[in-house]
Amino acid sequence: MDELRSLAESAGYTVVESFEQVRGPDPRYQIGSGKARELADLVSKNGVERTIFDNELKPVQAYNLAKATGVEAVDRFQLILEIFARRASTTEAKLQIKLAQLRYELARAKEKVKLARMGEQPGFMGLGAYEVDVYYEAVKRQIHSIQDKLRKIRKKRRLHRARRLELGFSLVSLAGYTNAGKSSLFNALAEETVPVDPGLFTTLSTTTRAVNLSGKRFLLTDTVGFIDRLPLTLIEAFHSTLEETIFSDLILLVVDVSEPRDEVERKLSCCLDTIQKIGAAGIPVVTALNKIDLLSEEEVQRKVEVLTNVAPNSVPVSALYRTNIGLLKQKMMRHLKGYVLVSFSLPVTNDSLSFLSWLFSRADIRDIKYEGNRVRVVFESVPWFAEKVMGRVKEFGGVFNA
């Protein structure tokens, strides 16, 4: 319920009342008929404009609740979509959200039209003029149109990813529960100022920057936050964004350890499950146990001991105050792909000097010596990039030594 309240506030609502009921779901109202009458009284007394349910509402339940209370009833998934719609800033994010909304609508379209024709209720207005099949097909056409647009964006994203691979940099993706401090950690590592907000889901589109890590450059990507019971519809809609995590060399998982132990473990479990669900289970994970500045030293020690066996390769940090960021970088370097130290020599020409300039911007050059009309270079890189350099060196009549 605390999380539902936070979601409601992030959507711009003022929560005036809340209650729970422990029972099996009622087919008519989701809650029992007595609770529905209690809800109607609360709506009337407090001037409520909308009721929000943590459970999934079927169209008939939302319809009956709207009829009983006089205001629209929405569920957790609709609320999350609403937050996403408010926070989306890029064309891709807006299209992804619209796609999720339409898929949600499509699954309920036939029943919703049927109910709308029975009489207008909040949240069901404007559908009475539609025949069921006409409305259903209209939603499907919108879905196909958005999917075509997203395919073009995804193709462009793949080209950008291919270009980044050509640079020879390893890719690190930030992941974590929403509001765990991913963007703050991104700022600490990349020395950037991406927006940081106490609300949920500040980041809906990816931001990628080149970052220096122990003398080596890698690409750091900030991605959309996870949340418990994130619907598959939403995961599918944000596939192209989450793809950045799937193709990364390392996942930097951010966990807010300032919360109670049960909450920390629940959110950590949710994140690890989501990583597996999107197909990124085989990628190494380093866990940043964030917000230690809100805990005493004894509390930090207890949390670290408790999470050692469940949080992969954990490091306690404070992204806000840059505490233990150096230690975190060391841990990340140990789990990135193994680097190889290689050397080559080639004749000094205008073309080879241009090639060397290109290499300096993409690899960690350890040594360079000019010997007569030849130059000898020692550099460190990931194995596949070293192989790419080897091909270029041979083109210039050089000698490559592994």
Side-chain angles (χ1 to χ4, degrees):
M1 289 299 287
D2 288 341
E3 186 164 274
L4 187 65
R5 177 183 289 270
S6 295
L7 285 167
E9 289 170 350
S10 292
Y13 294 106
T14 300
V15 180
V16 295
E17 189 64 73
S18 66
F19 64 76
E20 298 179 60
Q21 184 177 35
V22 182
R23 53 157 290 167
D26 182 87
R28 190 174 183 193
Y29 295 110
Q30 176 66 227
I31 52 177
S33 57
K35 275 290 181 186
R37 286 192 295 273
E38 184 182 333
L39 178 62
D41 289 340
L42 283 172
V43 167
S44 177
K45 289 176 183 175
N46 293 287
V48 169
E49 297 174 357
R50 179 172 282 191
T51 60
I52 301 169
F53 284 71
D54 194 52
N55 305 59
E56 181 184 353
L57 291 177
K58 294 179 180 177
V60 67
Q61 292 169 334
Y63 180 87
N64 289 332
L65 285 163
K67 188 175 181 179
T69 63
V71 297
E72 185 180 2
V74 298
D75 59 22
R76 174 190 173 91
F77 179 54
Q78 290 171 290
L79 182 62
I80 290 173
L81 280 178
E82 198 173 322
I83 297 168
F84 275 37
R86 285 171 63 96
R87 303 225 178 214
S89 57
T90 65
T91 300
E92 182 181 17
K94 289 173 182 176
L95 286 171
Q96 288 168 327
I97 292 156
K98 186 63 178 175
L99 179 60
Q101 288 171 330
L102 288 169
R103 281 176 169 165
Y104 181 87
E105 187 73 16
L106 187 67
R108 293 156 177 78
K110 291 183 178 180
E111 188 177 358
K112 196 167 182 181
V113 171
K114 178 185 171 184
L115 290 166
R117 292 175 68 182
M118 290 167 57
E120 290 189 350
Q121 299 294 347
F124 288 80
M125 293 180 288
L127 292 177
Y130 284 97
E131 290 297 329
V132 173
D133 291 338
V134 173
Y135 182 67
Y136 188 80
E137 288 303 317
V139 174
K140 281 179 71 174
R141 280 196 301 274
Q142 289 183 70
I143 287 174
H144 289 315
S145 173
I146 290 173
Q147 285 175 328
D148 286 341
K149 291 175 183 175
L150 283 172
R151 269 192 287 272
K152 291 174 184 174
I153 292 173
R154 190 174 295 177
K155 185 178 179 181
K156 190 182 292 183
R157 188 185 288 279
R158 280 197 294 268
L159 288 172
H160 288 165
R161 191 182 301 119
R163 288 195 192 103
R164 290 203 300 264
L165 284 172
E166 287 177 7
L167 295 175
F169 298 151
S170 295
L171 179 64
V172 177
S173 288
L174 275 165
Y177 209 85
T178 181
N179 206 31
K182 295 194 319 307
S183 294
S184 294
L185 188 56
F186 180 90
N187 288 339
L189 290 169
E191 298 180 3
E192 278 280 335
T193 54
V194 298
V196 175
D197 192 291
L200 306 183
F201 299 114
T202 303
T203 305
L204 292 184
S205 52
T206 58
T207 304
T208 302
R209 294 289 183 272
V211 176
N212 196 294
L213 183 62
S214 301
K216 299 176 181 64
R217 297 184 79 192
F218 69 98
L219 295 171
L220 181 68
T221 298
D222 192 10
T223 59
V224 63
F226 302 148
I227 194 166
D228 204 6
R229 292 178 284 146
L230 187 67
L232 187 61
T233 311
L234 207 52
I235 292 174
E236 288 172 351
F238 275 79
H239 183 269
S240 58
T241 303
L242 294 170
E243 232 176 31
E244 295 296 319
T245 305
I246 300 168
F247 289 102
S248 58
D249 299 296
L250 175 73
I251 296 172
L252 182 54
L253 180 60
V254 187
V255 178
D256 179 358
V257 290
S258 69
E259 297 184 302
R261 175 179 166 179
D262 290 348
E263 273 296 276
V264 174
E265 291 179 341
R266 177 182 73 83
K267 292 181 178 181
L268 175 60
S269 176
C270 165
C271 291
L272 294 173
D273 287 347
T274 305
I275 287 170
Q276 188 168 26
K277 197 181 292 183
I278 65 176
I283 299 168
V285 176
V286 169
T287 310
L289 304 178
N290 193 27
K291 303 190 183 181
I292 60 171
D293 53 285
L294 299 176
L295 300 172
S296 66
E297 288 185 18
E298 293 76 14
E299 287 174 316
V300 171
Q301 188 61 37
R302 279 200 302 271
K303 290 281 178 71
V304 170
E305 289 172 1
V306 166
L307 297 171
T308 296
N309 296 325
V310 287
N313 308 303
S314 58
V315 179
V317 302
S318 168
L320 183 63
Y321 294 102
R322 311 296 201 258
T323 308
N324 289 346
I325 296 299
L327 194 62
L328 179 65
K329 288 182 177 181
Q330 290 174 24
K331 181 80 78 169
M332 290 165 64
M333 278 306 304
R334 285 203 291 271
H335 290 87
L336 282 167
K337 285 182 179 178
Y339 280 71
V340 291
L341 190 67
V342 290
S343 65
F344 65 84
S345 65
L346 74 171
V348 177
T349 65
N350 287 338
D351 288 342
S352 66
L353 289 174
S354 177
F355 164 69
L356 288 177
S357 177
W358 172 86
L359 184 63
F360 260 90
S361 65
R362 289 162 174 80
D364 182 13
I365 306 296
R366 291 302 185 89
D367 188 39
I368 182 165
K369 287 181 181 176
Y370 290 89
E371 301 165 342
N373 64 344
R374 296 183 71 84
V375 59
R376 184 177 180 278
V377 178
V378 180
F379 73 97
E380 193 174 22
S381 77
V382 289
W384 63 263
F385 185 74
E387 289 178 14
K388 181 179 177 179
V389 172
M390 178 173 65
R392 297 291 303 276
V393 168
K394 287 181 178 177
E395 288 176 16
F396 294 114
V399 179
F400 192 94
N401 303 303

